[in-house]
Amino acid sequence: MIRLNEPALLANHSYINGAWVKKDTTFDVTNPASGVVLAQVSNGDGQDAEAAVAAAKAALPAWAAKSANERAAILRKWFNLMMEHQHDLGVIMTAEQGKPLAESKGEIAYGAAFVDWYAEEGKRIYGDTIPGPASDKRIIVLKQPIGVVAAITPWNFPSSMITRKAAPALAAGCTFIIKPASETPLSALALAQLAEMAGIPKGVFNVVTGTNSRAIGEVLTTSPDVAKFSFTGSTPVGRKLYEQCAGTIKKVSLELGGNAPFIVFDDADLDAAVQGALASKYRNAGQTCVCANRFLVQRSVYDTFAEKLEAAVAEFQLGDGMDEGVTMGPLITKKAMDDVHALVEQSVAQGAQVVVGGQPHALGGNYYQPTIMKNVSNSMAIAANEIFGPVAPLIPFDTEEELIAMANDTEYGLAAYFYSRDIGRIWRVAEGLEYGMVGINEGIISNAAAPFGGVKSSGLGREGSKYGIEDFLEIKYLCLGGLNK
Ligand code: NAP
């Protein structure tokens, strides 16, 4: 059972054109901490996606015609409602996703911050005037909303991955359709409930829930009425959806997988590096796209760093995220846990040594022990693949040149982290890393004011910051001639 102060936040049907759309078939949403079924949610399909596209198309002219100030006032109400209901939204998230309540409430504040930020940024969509090539011409550049935006998001950040897309889209004057992950639709539906309370007009924000993600995704990526498609999730699925968008030449944003190196140089503040490592590696039980995936540690501090990290990791309290004192929850599914364990076992077979953890947790279910491994090499599968679990493989390196080559030796390029106190090294390494985001002496890098996104197979485009709204705008150039007559 999910106990809320505002029970109306617990919705279980798709939200299309301002109405809750009940289906005859449902799917179960379960609590990963206990396996208990939390809700049965309407199992939407391709037809629901088509209805949502039609609703978003119909709502577009009136929403786009509002002034930026009018849209900002409504978005601001949405933000205020999210913060007013932060506790309830956090409870819903912990129930369906498993992260500790404090982390869930932190995600609600993080996600709401995008709504606050873009409510304001929408007022600063500036055009341009450009001197013309002839004396009787003027060039004027307008920025207009791109149109209907469709999005698909993952389960690891069930609320903020939606607002990070919806807020700039709505602020720019676009209308929006979201298909949330099947594991975590309740957080998305709670956002829809609050959107309605905030006065977001019908058809402007739509949520289609359903386990037939292929059929729903097919409509969202191929409909000629969708101008922009935005995806956060795994690289293989992103690649497929990118292909599907080609037929209608949609503008596409992709926030995909990562393989973040967490680098510790011999001149680093090791205690600060351990604190950064805890946040970057073990937050959300290691299930974030920007999680440290490989620890590259200079040989002279390798053992000391390992000892300090081991001591810190021993403090984690695993359990149901609603319980007092719990600092790490379960993994999202049994399959996710089995995949993590398979990578650990494969590494051990290849010569890696488990320092701590390395097994499913005694709590059973989807819980996995916080793990540290030594004697790992950059060529092992655990260093090449997204682990998506609380496992820290420690790889030694000797020189800066060797380090840069190792860090960049991956198809991914989302986030990287390094700890050093040498200003020359800081610039050299920051510029040499082929990543969209680099944390320097810092393990937490995401916020609404900063451009989030990756290079290489980690994606296309940026979310958040002044750059994030550009993907939801089209440039229109006006050539004003005949001025000398
Ligand atoms: P996923 O399997 O790619 O699923 C993500 C979303 O895509 C879900 O809503 C899923 O729906 C949907 N989906 C799956 N197959 C589809 C298809 N054929 N057509 C249309 N939609 C489809 O990823 P995940 O396991 O949920 O999430 C973890 C991944 O997301 C990791 O790789 C992580 O790095 C990445 N991620 C990236 C960022 C970033 O900002 N770069 C942020 C967070 C997570 P169903 O749930 O219904 O299957």
Side-chain angles (χ1 to χ4, degrees):
M1 269 302 283
I2 303 180
R3 287 204 176 75
L4 303 178
N5 298 322
E6 177 53 84
L9 290 179
L10 207 53
N12 57 353
H13 306 303
S14 292
Y15 180 73
I16 300 170
N17 204 22
W20 300 98
V21 179
K22 189 172 187 297
K23 304 290 284 188
D24 292 336
T25 58
T26 59
F27 63 98
D28 290 346
V29 179
T30 54
N31 184 336
S34 60
V36 165
V37 175
L38 297 165
Q40 288 171 324
V41 173
S42 280
N43 205 356
D45 52 26
Q47 281 182 346
D48 296 295
E50 279 167 13
V53 172
K57 185 182 178 189
L60 182 65
W63 183 249
K66 283 191 189 299
S67 72
N69 278 4
E70 286 171 318
R71 288 194 295 264
I74 296 173
L75 288 173
R76 184 80 202 173
K77 278 191 201 153
W78 200 24
F79 162 77
N80 285 336
L81 284 164
M82 285 176 203
M83 294 312 293
E84 210 175 286
H85 295 283
Q86 183 183 13
H87 179 82
D88 277 356
L89 295 173
V91 169
I92 292 171
M93 189 183 298
T94 292
E96 66 178 351
Q97 202 277 343
K99 63 181 76 172
L101 183 61
E103 274 189 44
S104 294
K105 287 167 75 170
E107 183 186 333
I108 297 303
Y110 168 64
F114 289 96
V115 182
D116 184 37
W117 171 274
Y118 282 110
E120 294 307 311
E121 199 60 17
K123 300 173 189 171
R124 292 185 278 271
I125 298 174
Y126 300 130
D128 224 343
T129 58
I130 301 173
S135 62
D136 69 336
K137 288 190 175 61
R138 299 291 182 274
I139 295 171
I140 300 156
V141 176
L142 305 182
K143 289 189 180 173
Q144 295 183 305
I146 191 165
V148 173
V149 175
I152 297 182
T153 48
W155 48 264
N156 60 346
F157 288 95
S159 188
S160 60
M161 294 302 99
I162 297 174
T163 55
R164 205 163 78 174
K165 299 176 191 303
L170 267 55
C174 302
T175 53
F176 191 81
I177 304 143
I178 174 70
K179 191 219 84 74
S182 303
E183 287 90 351
T184 57
L186 302 178
S187 293
L189 295 172
L191 286 178
Q193 187 69 264
L194 295 178
E196 186 170 278
M197 286 161 69
I200 293 179
K202 67 175 190 170
V204 171
F205 181 80
N206 305 276
V207 182
V208 180
T209 54
T211 51
N212 195 345
S213 53
R214 270 172 207 266
I216 296 169
E218 174 86 21
V219 171
L220 300 183
T221 51
T222 60
S223 168
D225 293 328
V226 173
K228 153 105 192 162
F229 178 72
S230 181
F231 175 73
T232 297
S234 63
T235 295
V237 174
R239 191 173 281 127
K240 171 123 189 15
L241 297 175
Y242 192 17
E243 280 172 17
Q244 288 177 202
C245 286
T248 45
I249 318 287
K250 290 189 203 320
K251 200 162 176 176
V252 176
S253 294
L254 301 170
E255 295 283 359
L256 307 176
N259 181 3
F262 188 104
I263 300 156
V264 184
F265 284 104
D266 55 6
D267 63 288
D269 175 339
L270 290 188
D271 293 319
V274 167
Q275 287 312 308
L278 293 180
S280 159
K281 173 71 255 183
Y282 295 101
R283 190 164 50 105
N284 201 4
Q287 304 170 109
T288 89
C289 54
V290 291
C291 267
N293 206 56
R294 301 171 283 158
F295 286 78
L296 307 176
V297 187
Q298 202 150 16
R299 203 174 299 274
S300 59
V301 294
Y302 185 82
D303 288 331
T304 315
F305 177 76
E307 280 161 25
K308 285 177 180 276
L309 187 61
E310 186 184 350
V313 162
E315 302 290 314
F316 279 117
Q317 293 292 323
L318 269 71
D320 185 324
M322 287 303 293
D323 291 345
E324 196 69 30
V326 164
T327 52
M328 190 184 294
L331 297 181
I332 187 75
T333 56
K334 175 77 167 53
K335 179 183 180 307
M337 199 208 63
D338 290 343
D339 289 349
V340 170
H341 190 48
L343 268 180
V344 169
E345 287 194 316
Q346 190 181 355
S347 313
V348 170
Q350 291 172 325
Q353 172 206 345
V354 172
V355 175
V356 64
Q359 294 295 330
H361 196 275
L363 284 169
N366 310 340
Y367 291 96
Y368 199 77
Q369 293 176 340
T371 299
I372 300 173
M373 301 176 83
K374 284 171 81 174
N375 292 347
V376 179
S377 85
N378 207 37
S379 57
M380 288 183 188
I382 200 158
N385 293 285
E386 234 184 345
I387 303 169
F388 246 55
V391 179
L394 270 46
I395 304 170
F397 72 90
D398 292 300
T399 67
E400 200 178 298
E401 294 69 30
E402 178 198 7
L403 171 274
I404 293 284
M406 283 166 81
N408 290 340
D409 184 18
T410 166
E411 68 163 311
Y412 296 107
L414 190 59
Y417 308 85
F418 70 94
Y419 279 70
S420 169
R421 284 177 292 190
D422 176 329
I423 188 68
R425 172 178 276 168
I426 285 175
W427 277 104
R428 287 192 303 275
V429 174
E431 289 175 359
L433 289 170
E434 295 166 357
Y435 289 82
M437 299 174 283
V438 181
I440 304 165
N441 298 322
E442 181 57 61
I444 296 273
I445 54 176
S446 308
N447 61 74
F452 190 104
V455 300
K456 295 159 76 175
S457 296
S458 288
L460 290 175
R462 294 294 179 271
E463 294 186 339
S465 83
K466 66 173 182 174
Y467 303 104
I469 205 159
E470 296 294 330
D471 270 346
F472 300 94
L473 297 167
E474 277 292 13
I475 285 177
K476 184 182 283 174
Y477 143 56
L478 311 180
C479 184
L480 193 58
L483 297 180
N484 290 347
K485 286 182 190 147

